[in-house]
Amino acid sequence: MAGKFITFEGGEGSGKTTQIKLLQKQLNDAGKKSVLTREPGGCAPADAIRKLLLTGSVDKWHPVAETLLFQAARVEHVERVIKPALERGEIVICDRFLDSTIVYQGIAKGLGVEYIKQLHQFTLGSFAPDLTLILDIEPEIGLKRAHARAGDETRFENMELEFHRNVRNGFLKLAHENPPRYKIINADQSVKDVHKSILEAVNL
């Protein structure tokens, strides 16, 4: 029996981490086996790449090099973690996936959506999530939340506000163009209300 692959997307500070944990608890309470993971990361090789990508100055990487690193981490993650879990019939919940690369590098950094899609096709074929939840929030609100967190993974948070506005618009554009897979969740609500909206969208 095949599992189900659910991804969470959204701008910085949209509350993905909190909501993913709440969803996993709900699934566990219902007796459903699930795997919680994230990108970049999810396994040792990809976690090593994560540190390279999420720390340091905003102009640390050329957009092409940055994209190739994200996709290299994704290949390791998919082959070592995601596909095996799906083959076991488990539900995989992932914090970010290909759509983040499409939006952040393809749209906000100007590489082009087709460039990112072709790279993914070349490396992972047609592998894609079954459901993508986009936690939507005004960038100003999300960044305020993000800056309040401790940690050194702030490279993208430190980019210009216009970049984050383009990210938000990019996610909304994807959702409106591909409604069967994407669900937009208003993340500017209470944690409880966001969780309720997610449960309605997931419908497991």
Side-chain angles (χ1 to χ4, degrees), residues 95-128:
D95 184 345
R96 298 196 183 283
F97 195 65
L98 173 63
D99 293 310
S100 275
T101 309
I102 289 173
V103 169
Y104 278 74
Q105 284 72 42
I107 295 175
K109 290 201 172 186
L111 289 185
V113 171
E114 284 309 309
Y115 180 92
I116 308 300
K117 287 183 176 179
Q118 286 174 18
L119 177 63
H120 186 80
Q121 179 69 33
F122 183 72
T123 52
L124 286 170
S126 58
F127 186 80

Side-chain angles (χ1 to χ4, degrees), residues 20-45:
I20 284 170
K21 289 177 180 177
L22 288 173
L23 176 59
Q24 186 183 44
K25 183 180 185 304
Q26 187 79 23
L27 293 172
N28 290 344
D29 290 348
K32 298 179 185 290
K33 290 186 177 181
S34 62
V35 171
L36 193 159
T37 190
R38 66 179 184 178
E39 287 212 344
C43 60

Side-chain angles (χ1 to χ4, degrees), residues 12-23:
E12 310 303 318
S14 56
K16 293 186 284 50
T17 303
T18 298
Q19 292 300 330
I20 284 170
K21 289 177 180 177
L22 288 173
L23 176 59

Side-chain angles (χ1 to χ4, degrees), residues 50-197:
R50 179 185 180 92
K51 185 172 179 63
L52 296 174
L53 286 166
L54 301 190
T55 62
S57 64
V58 296
D59 58 354
K60 180 178 179 180
W61 297 104
H62 185 283
V64 172
E66 183 176 273
T67 299
L68 293 173
L69 284 169
F70 272 113
Q71 194 65 19
R74 183 164 298 127
V75 169
E76 292 288 343
H77 189 206
V78 168
E79 298 298 342
R80 292 173 183 261
V81 177
I82 298 175
K83 282 184 178 179
L86 294 174
E87 289 166 3
R88 294 192 300 268
E90 298 174 4
I91 298 167
V92 177
I93 310 165
C94 189
D95 184 345
R96 298 196 183 283
F97 195 65
L98 173 63
D99 293 310
S100 275
T101 309
I102 289 173
V103 169
Y104 278 74
Q105 284 72 42
I107 295 175
K109 290 201 172 186
L111 289 185
V113 171
E114 284 309 309
Y115 180 92
I116 308 300
K117 287 183 176 179
Q118 286 174 18
L119 177 63
H120 186 80
Q121 179 69 33
F122 183 72
T123 52
L124 286 170
S126 58
F127 186 80
D130 298 299
L131 173 67
T132 296
L133 303 169
I134 296 175
L135 271 59
D136 179 53
I137 194 167
E138 291 279 354
E140 293 88 343
I141 298 172
L143 288 170
K144 186 176 180 181
R145 290 181 182 177
H147 290 316
R149 298 184 303 225
D152 61 351
E153 294 183 346
T154 57
R155 183 167 167 260
F156 284 92
E157 291 172 16
N158 291 335
M159 292 182 182
E160 298 289 337
L161 180 59
E162 188 62 25
F163 174 86
H164 293 284
R165 287 176 175 154
N166 289 336
V167 164
R168 184 194 186 196
N169 291 336
F171 278 126
L172 294 177
K173 185 172 186 288
L174 283 183
H176 290 309
E177 289 177 350
N178 305 276
R181 173 158 75 86
Y182 297 89
K183 302 291 183 184
I184 299 172
I185 306 293
N186 176 11
D188 191 17
Q189 308 178 79
S190 69
V191 170
K192 183 178 179 181
D193 286 341
V194 174
H195 178 57
K196 181 180 178 183
S197 297

